[in-house]
């Protein structure tokens, strides 16, 4: 596939501000959320099979909200947790190409091009090895930051907001994508932090309001990544 290295002014690009980027992403997401829904269905099916394989039930005894008050150690000590977590992490890495597919669809929608279902799987044909390596590296970084009382994760995550778009639109290696997104993010960290936090908040809002709603909202963060790329690197088009 040709590299994305020209720019098309037909579509829109947001300003370099949190409000503009989130608004831009939201307008695009409204038009492509069914593809995001497909990604979540694939994730849920895979996760369900992993629970059957490992014997670990994520929800366990959580048949009512009162059970959420039980000690956290009891959850981590449940049989099969370690095995499930290992397989689940691997499953998340394998899904990274689908996230590239959603970003690709966001770009086609923004350019007012016809979107095809096969577009969702472009990540398996474009820079696949580097995408999986990037996902492995960032998942390790995110896991370590989350393990440090959780808070560092929210400060680290925004530094990687442009990584996936770089893999797709510029065909970079995993290391180069990480290096480039860090270099850009640190120059305007306040905007990246605000956009990242708000993007995450909106993505998990479906779980807060109604657990099943997260199926529709969780992939929103990847469209935010696309909008941020448009804001800081220009809006790409396929050549």
């Amino acid at each position: 596939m040709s590299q994305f290295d020209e720019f098309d002014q037909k579509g829109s690009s947001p300003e370099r501000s949190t409000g503009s980027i989130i608004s831009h992403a939201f307008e695009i997401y409204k038009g492509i959320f069914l593809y995001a829904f497909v990604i979540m269905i694939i994730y849920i099916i895979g996760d369900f099979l992993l629970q059957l394989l490992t014997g670990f039930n994520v929800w366990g005894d959580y048949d009512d909200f009162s059970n959420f008050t039980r000690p956290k150690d009891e959850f981590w000590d449940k049989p099969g947790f370690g095995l499930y977590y290992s397989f689940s992490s691997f499953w998340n890495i394998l899904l990274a190409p689908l996230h590239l597919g959603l970003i690709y669809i966001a770009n086609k929608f923004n350019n007012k091009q016809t979107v095809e279902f096969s577009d969702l799987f472009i990540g398996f044909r474009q820079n696949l090895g580097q995408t999986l390596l990037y996902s492995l590296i960032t998942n390790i970084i995110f896991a370590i930051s989350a393990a440090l009382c959780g808070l560092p994760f929210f400060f680290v995550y925004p530094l990687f907001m442009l990584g996936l778009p770089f893999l797709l639109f510029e065909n970079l290696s995993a290391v180069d994508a990480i290096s480039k997104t860090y270099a850009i993010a640190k120059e305007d960290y306040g905007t990246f932090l605000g956009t990242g936090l708000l993007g995450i908040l909106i993505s998990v809002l479906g779980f807060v309001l109604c657990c099943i709603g997260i199926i529709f909202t969780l992939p929103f963060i990847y469209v935010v990544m696309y909008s941020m790329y448009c804001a800081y690197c220009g809006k790409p088009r396929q050549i």
Side-chain angles (χ1 to χ4, degrees):
M1 166 173 253
S2 300
Q3 181 176 338
F4 291 72
D5 56 4
E6 291 187 6
F7 297 92
D8 175 17
Q9 300 303 321
K10 284 174 56 181
S12 60
S13 292
E15 298 177 357
R16 295 182 179 183
S17 67
T18 295
S20 180
I21 293 171
I22 292 296
S23 178
H24 183 266
F26 184 71
E27 290 302 315
I28 293 176
Y29 194 73
K30 289 191 299 183
I32 66 171
F33 78 93
L34 287 179
Y35 294 97
F37 175 75
V38 171
I39 292 177
M40 288 304 299
I41 292 300
I42 294 174
Y43 172 80
I44 290 172
I45 292 174
D47 188 73
F48 175 75
L49 293 177
L50 288 179
Q51 291 184 54
L52 291 179
L53 177 65
T54 61
F56 178 79
N57 188 344
V58 172
W59 296 104
D61 302 325
Y62 294 130
D63 51 1
D64 59 69
F65 289 106
S66 63
N67 287 325
F68 280 105
T69 59
R70 68 181 185 178
K72 292 182 178 180
D73 289 343
E74 186 178 341
F75 180 82
W76 309 130
D77 292 338
K78 288 179 60 178
F81 171 76
L83 186 61
Y84 166 78
Y85 182 79
S86 298
F87 278 110
S88 180
S89 298
F90 182 68
W91 178 233
N92 287 330
I93 292 173
L94 291 181
L95 286 180
L98 288 179
H99 302 153
L100 256 66
L102 188 63
I103 293 172
Y104 177 65
I105 288 174
N107 184 59
K108 291 189 72 172
F109 182 84
N110 193 30
N111 285 326
K112 299 178 174 58
Q113 297 174 330
T114 301
V115 176
E116 300 177 357
F117 184 74
S118 61
D119 293 334
L120 190 60
F121 303 96
I122 192 174
F124 292 98
R125 307 188 299 269
Q126 166 85 5
N127 211 10
L128 176 60
Q130 294 301 318
T131 298
L132 296 178
L133 178 59
Y134 175 87
S135 182
L136 173 62
I137 295 173
T138 53
N139 270 274
I140 291 174
I141 294 174
F142 294 153
I144 293 175
S145 62
L148 300 174
C149 300
L151 189 60
F153 169 82
F154 296 101
F155 293 97
V156 171
Y157 189 86
L159 295 172
F160 298 89
M161 289 289 288
L162 296 178
L164 290 178
F166 281 142
L167 291 171
L168 177 63
F169 298 133
E170 301 184 18
N171 207 35
L172 296 183
S173 68
V175 174
D176 287 342
I178 291 174
S179 176
K180 191 170 183 178
T181 186
Y182 174 77
I184 295 176
K186 70 175 184 174
E187 295 299 325
D188 193 10
Y189 182 69
T191 299
F192 274 76
L193 179 62
T195 303
L197 292 179
L198 188 54
I200 292 173
L201 178 62
I202 296 175
S203 295
V204 301
L205 193 60
F207 180 82
V208 175
L209 298 178
C210 177
C211 290
I212 195 66
I214 201 169
I215 297 177
F216 296 97
T217 62
L218 191 59
F220 175 72
I221 189 65
Y222 300 106
V223 181
V224 174
M225 292 177 182
Y226 167 72
S227 295
M228 181 163 280
Y229 181 90
C230 290
Y232 283 87
C233 303
K235 187 176 66 60
R237 70 175 176 86
Q238 185 177 0
I239 59 172

